[in-house]
Structure formats: C-alpha cells, structure tokens
C-alpha cells in the first residue's frame, strides 16, 4: 500500500492576533461547501487555522477541506484539499454518514418491555 500526502495551499499568520479568538463557526469533520465558487466544491473539514490569508486575503478562520470525490475540482483537476474562508463557507452536513441506511445495525431491545406512563 502506498502512502499519499495531502498537500494544502499555504496560509500566513496575521501580523497581530486578537487578545481572545472567537470560537470558530465550524468544527472538524463537518462537511462544508464553497458559497462563491462556481464549481460548488465541498468536503470534510480536516484542519482549522486563524490566518491572514489563503486563497483570498482575509483575516479570520480558514478551514482545510479534504475535497469530496464528487467535487468538480477534485474530479477534473485532481485537487484533493483546499482552504475555505469562514465567510465563504456553508454547512452541508454535520458529518457524512458512515454507513448506508439499509446497512445500519437494527436496534435491539434489552429484552424487557418498557412501561407506558
């Protein structure tokens, strides 16, 4: 099995950081999509930085997305990861389901009947 590297575009720290950073709007493993990019790329958040710039010159939270295989930039250009600025991001899902609905394990009771109130 060969290991593949995930290479992300560079970001830079702002000249000064706020005394207290606000909490990020999005979290690791959430699925985000680009709001202002015509390709409509989307992917899972695998990194978060407070930076001065990535693909755009904007100070604030930037999220490193591991682009989904169905994202146009990944399919057509082979781009596997990209930064998205918080103000350009939209939440698609809290996280991708790990199994298909028909593959989920059935819920099993504990053998006792529940009492109704």
């Amino acid at each position: 099995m060969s290991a593949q590297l995930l290479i992300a575009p560079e970001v830079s720290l702002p000249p000064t950081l706020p005394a207290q950073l606000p909490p990020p709007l999005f979290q690791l493993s959430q699925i985000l999509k680009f709001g202002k990019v015509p390709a409509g790329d989307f992917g899972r958040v695998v990194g978060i930085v407070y930076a001065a710039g990535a693909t755009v010159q904007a100070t604030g939270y930037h999220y490193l997305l591991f682009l989904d295989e169905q994202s146009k930039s990944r399919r057509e250009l082979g781009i596997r990861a990209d930064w998205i600025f918080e103000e350009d991001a939209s939440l698609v899902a809290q996280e991708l389901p790990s199994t298909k609905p028909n593959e989920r394990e059935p819920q099993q009771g504990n053998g006792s009947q529940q009492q109704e109130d």
Side-chain angles (χ1 to χ4, degrees), residues 38-83:
D41 286 329
F42 63 100
R44 180 181 303 276
V45 177
V46 295
I48 303 171
V49 297
Y50 191 90
T55 55
V56 296
Q57 292 300 314
T59 299
Y61 284 107
H62 291 74
Y63 301 86
L64 180 59
L65 297 187
F66 180 65
L67 296 179
D68 189 90
E69 292 178 358
Q70 299 304 311
S71 279
K72 187 175 181 180
S73 292
R74 180 149 180 201
R75 261 191 351 258
E76 297 179 5
L77 304 173
I79 297 171
R80 298 186 63 189
D82 200 0
W83 292 103

Side-chain angles (χ1 to χ4, degrees), residues 16 66 90 95 107:
T16 59
F66 180 65
S90 298
E95 56 182 281
Q107 294 183 358

Side-chain angles (χ1 to χ4, degrees), residues 4-109:
Q4 294 183 352
L5 297 176
L6 181 62
I7 300 172
E10 293 181 18
V11 292
S12 60
L13 290 174
T16 59
L17 288 172
Q20 184 173 353
L21 291 175
L25 184 59
F26 304 108
Q27 304 300 317
L28 292 173
S29 84
Q30 290 182 317
I31 309 301
L32 303 180
K33 68 178 179 177
F34 287 82
K36 299 174 184 167
V37 177
D41 286 329
F42 63 100
R44 180 181 303 276
V45 177
V46 295
I48 303 171
V49 297
Y50 191 90
T55 55
V56 296
Q57 292 300 314
T59 299
Y61 284 107
H62 291 74
Y63 301 86
L64 180 59
L65 297 187
F66 180 65
L67 296 179
D68 189 90
E69 292 178 358
Q70 299 304 311
S71 279
K72 187 175 181 180
S73 292
R74 180 149 180 201
R75 261 191 351 258
E76 297 179 5
L77 304 173
I79 297 171
R80 298 186 63 189
D82 200 0
W83 292 103
I84 184 171
F85 183 56
E86 189 168 80
E87 291 179 11
D88 189 33
S90 298
L91 181 64
V92 173
Q94 291 296 328
E95 56 182 281
L96 288 176
S98 57
T99 59
K100 296 177 184 173
N102 60 354
E103 293 177 352
R104 291 186 185 146
E105 292 182 22
Q107 294 183 358
Q108 298 178 5

